[in-house]
């Protein structure tokens, strides 16, 4: 079993419970870790034998473009698509961070972490 990490995908999106968050939008960072058998790809040197990180990136960008109130909701949608579209993935972890959240304090980011497995 191996791991593929796609770290800090930068996305501008419109998530949040406050009305102005969905209008103005903000910056997000998304990191994806998936566990899958990678030995075949290590031997074959063929993209079809591994987890395509271009596909992972596309899923993140597409789902982040759909507004939601909660980051947990967006993260679950992303995880559901990863497990649904990439059959070699056995387990996945997702970190979704809102940069400079509107919480009346000096906070760099808030992050939620969700995991899913087959």
């Amino acid at each position: 079993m191996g791991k593929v990490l796609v770290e800090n995908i930068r996305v501008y999106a419109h998530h949040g419970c406050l009305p102005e968050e969905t209008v103005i939008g903000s910056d997000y960072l998304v990191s994806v870790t998936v566990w899958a058998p990678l030995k075949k790809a290590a031997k074959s040197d063929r993209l079809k034998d591994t987890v395509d990180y271009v596909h992972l990136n596309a899923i993140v960008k597409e789902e982040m473009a759909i507004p939601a109130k909660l980051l947990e909701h967006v993260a679950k949608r992303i995880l559901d698509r990863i497990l649904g579209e990439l059959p070699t993935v056995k387990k996945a972890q997702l970190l979704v961070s809102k940069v400079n959240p509107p919480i009346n304090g000096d906070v760099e980011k808030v992050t939620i972490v969700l995991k899913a497995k087959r």
Side-chain angles (χ1 to χ4, degrees):
M1 192 66 59
K3 264 196 296 196
V4 175
L5 288 81
V6 183
E7 298 180 290
N8 292 325
I9 302 167
R10 290 176 181 82
V11 180
Y12 193 84
H14 300 269
H15 306 301
C17 292
L18 302 173
E20 57 269 23
E21 290 179 290
T22 57
V23 173
I24 297 167
S26 57
D27 292 309
Y28 294 84
L29 295 172
V30 181
S31 293
V32 180
T33 304
V34 297
W35 287 260
L38 300 179
K39 285 183 181 180
K40 185 175 181 182
K43 290 179 183 178
S44 72
D45 197 28
R46 292 189 305 227
L47 181 60
K48 72 179 188 92
D49 294 332
T50 191
V51 177
D52 184 356
Y53 53 79
V54 173
H55 193 160
L56 291 172
N57 186 59
I59 290 171
V60 167
K61 287 188 171 187
E62 289 168 13
E63 291 301 324
M64 288 295 289
I66 303 168
K69 291 180 182 166
L70 300 178
L71 298 180
E72 294 87 342
H73 181 73
V74 179
K76 181 177 180 343
R77 289 196 327 242
I78 294 168
L79 288 171
D80 288 347
R81 279 196 58 193
I82 289 170
L83 293 177
E85 295 177 22
L86 300 165
T88 59
V89 172
K90 302 302 178 202
K91 183 168 75 167
Q93 175 178 285
L94 195 73
L95 285 76
V96 180
S97 301
K98 182 178 237 178
V99 180
N100 296 318
I103 60 174
N104 197 23
D106 185 10
V107 177
E108 180 183 346
K109 62 185 175 181
V110 295
T111 302
I112 63 99
V113 180
L114 282 185
K115 298 177 183 179
K117 64 181 179 178
R118 292 193 187 282

